[in-house]
Amino acid sequence: MRAWRRIQWILAAAGLAATAGCASVNTTQSGAVGVDRKQYMSSLVSEQALEQEAGKQYSQILEQARAKNLLDRDPAQVARVDGIARKLIAQVGAFRPDAAQWAWEVHVLSTDEINAWCMPGGKIAVNTGLLSKIQPTDAELAAVMGHEIAHALREHARERVSQQMATSMGLQVLSIALGTPSVTDLGGRLTEVMFTLPNSRTHETEADRMGVELAARAGYDPRAAITLWQKMGAAQSGNAPPEFLSTHPSADTRMAELQSASQRVLPLYDQSKSGAAR
C-alpha cells in the first residue's frame, strides 16, 4: 500500500512539474494570413538564452564550413541569396516589429542537401543543393526563405524545446525519486529540433502561410510557393523527400492551402509592385 501511494505521489509530482512554468504567449501578430494560434513557452527556455545558443551553434557551423572551403564560395549565389533575404527581412515588422532589430546573418553552404534554414534570432543558411537541383526562380527562393524566416519569427524552435523541457521536468522528478537524476542540455535540444527532429504539421503550415505573406510584401509573386512545391515534389524521384518537405501535409491539402493563402495576399503583392513603380 505504501509503495502504491509513493508511486501515486511521484506521478502527481511529475505531472505538476511537467506543466509548471509554461505560459501562453503571442510571438507574432496574425498578419493578413491570420496566424494567431496561442503558443506555450516554458520559463526555463528564455528567448534570449535560445538566441545566444543559436548564435554559438551558427558560428560553429560557419567555421566548419569555412575550414572545408564550403562557405560562400560563389559570390553571385551569395549576392542573390543575400538580396532576397534583405527584402524579406525588411517585411518582418508585419508580424513582429522587434525582429527588425535582430542580428540577421545570411550565408550559402556548399552541400548537395536540398535545404535552407533559419535559427532563432535570424541566422539563415541556404544550401547550394537547393539552388542547383531545384533551380528556383527568385520568387520561389523567396518562398523557401520566407518559410524558414517564419519559423524563427514564430519561435517554433523555442516552442518545441519548451515542450521537451516540460516533459523532461516530469521525467526529472521521476528520475530523482528513483535515484537516477538526468541532465538537461539546452544546446543539444536546440540541435535536435533544428536539424534532427521534423517540425509538426502545425508549425510547417504556419511557416508556409507566413512565408507567402512575407514574399508578397517583399515584391515576390506569392503563387511561386505553389510552383516551388511542385519542383520540390519532383525532386523526390522515388527517394526520401527533401528536408523542406519532410513533414508537410499531403500534396492536395498543401496545394489547396497555398492557393488560398496566395490569393489572400495577392493585394499585398500588387501594392508592393505599385510602390516599386513609383
Side-chain angles (χ1 to χ4, degrees):
M1 191 68 176
R2 288 181 180 177
W4 173 241
R5 286 179 179 175
R6 181 168 180 267
I7 291 173
Q8 286 181 312
W9 177 87
I10 291 172
L11 292 174
L16 287 172
T19 56
C22 286
S24 172
V25 299
N26 290 315
T27 57
T28 64
Q29 298 168 7
S30 62
V33 291
V35 174
D36 53 10
R37 176 182 61 88
K38 290 285 187 182
Q39 298 170 273
Y40 290 88
M41 305 293 188
S42 171
S43 59
L44 298 177
V45 188
S46 71
E47 179 184 357
Q48 293 75 19
L50 204 63
E51 285 186 13
Q52 183 176 15
E53 182 60 39
K56 184 193 308 181
Q57 292 192 16
Y58 188 72
S59 294
Q60 291 172 349
I61 291 170
L62 296 185
E63 281 302 313
Q64 292 170 1
R66 185 178 290 110
K68 298 176 181 178
N69 192 29
L70 300 177
L71 179 67
D72 298 334
R73 293 179 58 180
D74 186 331
Q77 285 183 336
V78 173
R80 180 189 180 205
V81 169
D82 185 74
I84 293 171
R86 296 304 158 188
K87 290 181 180 179
L88 293 168
I89 292 167
Q91 304 304 321
V92 297
F95 289 105
R96 54 181 301 170
D98 68 301
Q101 306 305 317
W102 287 357
W104 292 89
E105 292 187 57
V106 187
H107 292 279
V108 177
L109 304 179
S110 293
T111 170
D112 287 338
E113 183 183 8
I114 300 174
N115 201 16
W117 42 270
C118 181
M119 299 186 81
K123 309 303 183 184
I124 303 170
V126 174
N127 292 350
T128 54
L130 172 65
L131 303 176
S132 62
K133 296 179 180 179
I134 300 300
Q135 297 186 355
T137 64
D138 283 0
E140 290 168 345
L141 186 53
V144 176
M145 296 175 69
H147 172 102
E148 297 305 325
I149 288 171
H151 278 309
L153 296 179
R154 283 291 280 174
E155 297 185 52
H156 285 155
R158 181 180 167 216
E159 185 177 12
R160 296 171 70 201
V161 170
S162 292
Q163 292 166 353
Q164 289 188 355
M165 287 288 194
T167 300
S168 69
M169 284 179 68
L171 294 176
Q172 185 80 1
V173 170
L174 285 172
S175 63
I176 291 173
L178 296 173
T180 57
S182 59
V183 178
T184 296
D185 174 15
L186 180 60
R189 292 185 184 278
L190 176 60
T191 299
E192 277 189 340
V193 301
M194 280 298 306
F195 303 114
T196 304
L197 302 176
N199 282 303
S200 69
R201 280 185 57 173
T202 296
H203 286 178
E204 291 293 272
T205 298
E206 287 181 350
D208 266 353
R209 290 162 63 186
M210 290 174 62
V212 163
E213 180 168 342
L214 286 172
R217 289 180 179 275
Y220 296 103
D221 190 334
R223 293 165 293 191
I226 299 168
T227 57
L228 165 75
W229 185 90
Q230 292 170 336
K231 287 183 177 180
M232 287 283 200
Q236 293 185 43
S237 301
N239 300 317
E243 191 67 24
F244 183 78
L245 293 181
S246 59
T247 56
H248 276 293
S250 67
D252 292 342
T253 299
R254 187 165 182 230
M255 289 285 278
E257 290 175 347
L258 285 173
Q259 288 278 10
S260 175
S262 297
Q263 290 299 316
R264 191 179 303 181
V265 299
L266 270 178
L268 297 175
Y269 172 54
D270 292 335
Q271 290 173 16
S272 69
K273 289 194 301 179
S274 299
R278 293 194 187 100

